[in-house]
């Protein structure tokens, strides 16, 4: 069965960077785009971007351009999302989510979420 | 960006009730709309895609309809497991945007 398992919670200071991992299993990792979506406490869902695990191509939402980097390691079926220059309003749960296909931006499987807390 | 507006924001209902949630898009998105269910502390779960296609494993009491700018999610007979927050999401145009959510709570 398809599973996405994310790394554990992180506490970071403002200005630092965080890197969240998402290990995929149960399907061909390179066959579906992987997206990252975040959810601030008590708030709605916000798409950040996607990575094509097949060739490493990425597409980031304008808001995060220059601060977010999505990468992958196909040898271990793992996607990564790194967010730099963290601010307090980056405090959120970060989810990886598998695309239904390639770049549809509809998500059929989600990781369990990684809470990133930014606090001085 | 396309704005997605859900109504109501909160819905109080009883087990066995028929429940309908509406989602409106700020411009036409054809049928590129998904519905997700989220329970506290959990990741969202895909229920419906392409406006009316039921995701595998999702109970048949869930159904979706609509096209263009107006969509609905219907739960035909509300079950205890259905109390949650429901989000619509358009994926017609980047960036895919979500509605603000509808909380279905126990009456």
């Amino acid at each position: 069965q398809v599973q996405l398992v994310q790394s554990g919670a992180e506490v970071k200071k403002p200005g630092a960077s965080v890197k969240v991992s998402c290990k995929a299993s149960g399907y061909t990792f390179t066959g579906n785009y992987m997206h990252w979506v975040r959810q601030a406490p008590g708030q709605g869902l916000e798409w950040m971007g996607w990575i094509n695990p097949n060739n490493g191509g990425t597409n980031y939402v304008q808001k995060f351009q220059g601060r977010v980097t999505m990468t992958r390691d196909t040898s271990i079926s793992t996607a990564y999302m790194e967010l730099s220059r963290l601010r307090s309003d980056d405090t959120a749960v970060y989810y990886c989510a598998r695309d239904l296909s390639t770049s549809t931006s509809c998500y059929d499987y989600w990781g369990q979420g990684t809470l990133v807390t930014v606090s001085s | 960006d396309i704005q997605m507006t859900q109504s109501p924001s909160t819905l109080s209902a009883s087990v066995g009730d028929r429940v309908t949630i509406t989602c409106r898009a700020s411009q036409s998105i054809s049928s590129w709309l998904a519905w997700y269910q989220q329970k506290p502390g959990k990741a969202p779960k895909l229920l419906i895609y392409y406006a009316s296609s039921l995701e595998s494993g999702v109970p048949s009491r869930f159904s979706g309809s609509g096209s263009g700018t107006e969509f609905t999610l219907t739960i035909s007979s509300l079950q205890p497991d259905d109390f949650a927050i429901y989000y619509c999401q358009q994926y017609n145009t980047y960036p895919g945007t979500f509605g603000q959510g509808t909380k279905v709570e126990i009456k």
Side-chain angles (χ1 to χ4, degrees):
Chain A
Q1 72 283 20
V2 174
Q3 277 195 302
L4 303 176
V5 179
Q6 297 183 222
S7 49
E10 303 261 14
V11 179
K12 296 291 183 182
K13 294 193 183 303
S17 298
V18 68
K19 190 171 186 177
V20 180
S21 67
C22 171
K23 183 170 177 58
S25 61
Y27 72 101
T28 302
F29 178 63
T30 53
N32 301 69
Y33 284 28
M34 190 72 79
H35 299 255
W36 291 88
V37 177
R38 77 177 187 178
Q39 187 172 37
Q43 301 301 308
L45 298 159
E46 180 179 31
W47 178 73
M48 300 178 68
W50 55 249
I51 182 168
N52 177 353
N54 191 43
N55 60 15
T58 55
N59 183 18
Y60 306 140
V61 74
Q62 179 96 12
K63 173 179 179 177
F64 299 106
Q65 290 275 0
R67 285 209 302 142
V68 69
T69 305
M70 296 177 189
T71 57
R72 93 290 188 218
D73 184 338
T74 56
S75 69
I76 55 172
S77 299
T78 299
Y80 302 92
M81 187 283 300
E82 184 170 22
L83 189 62
S84 63
R85 302 194 300 278
L86 290 167
R87 308 185 292 251
S88 58
D89 62 357
D90 291 318
T91 294
V93 176
Y94 290 76
Y95 294 102
C96 59
R98 192 185 82 156
D99 198 291
L100 203 58
S101 178
T102 53
S103 77
T104 68
S105 284
C106 180
Y107 321 120
D108 59 354
Y109 287 92
W110 296 63
Q112 82 277 18
T114 296
L115 175 61
V116 175
T117 302
V118 183
S119 174
S120 55
Chain B
D1 296 358
I2 296 177
Q3 306 302 315
M4 306 300 293
T5 304
Q6 290 181 231
S7 59
S9 296
T10 305
L11 188 160
S12 297
S14 301
V15 172
D17 284 354
R18 181 181 181 87
V19 165
T20 299
I21 299 169
T22 297
C23 178
R24 289 187 175 86
S26 60
Q27 65 189 73
S28 178
I29 57 170
S30 184
S31 295
W32 302 110
L33 184 102
W35 289 97
Y36 301 88
Q37 176 195 66
Q38 187 177 33
K39 296 180 179 179
K42 300 294 187 183
K45 173 187 173 183
L46 179 64
L47 301 175
I48 302 282
Y49 61 95
Y50 202 59
S52 60
S53 295
L54 194 67
E55 172 69 349
S56 175
V58 173
S60 59
R61 62 181 179 273
F62 291 93
S63 64
S65 65
S67 66
T69 61
E70 190 148 337
F71 302 85
T72 58
L73 173 71
T74 300
I75 309 172
S76 60
S77 177
L78 197 65
Q79 298 301 301
D81 192 48
D82 301 338
F83 292 96
I85 298 176
Y86 293 84
Y87 293 95
C88 63
Q89 180 223 2
Q90 69 81 18
Y91 56 103
N92 178 73
T93 307
Y94 279 113
T97 44
F98 293 86
Q100 81 280 14
T102 294
K103 183 177 182 179
V104 176
E105 60 182 25
I106 302 172
K107 190 172 184 178

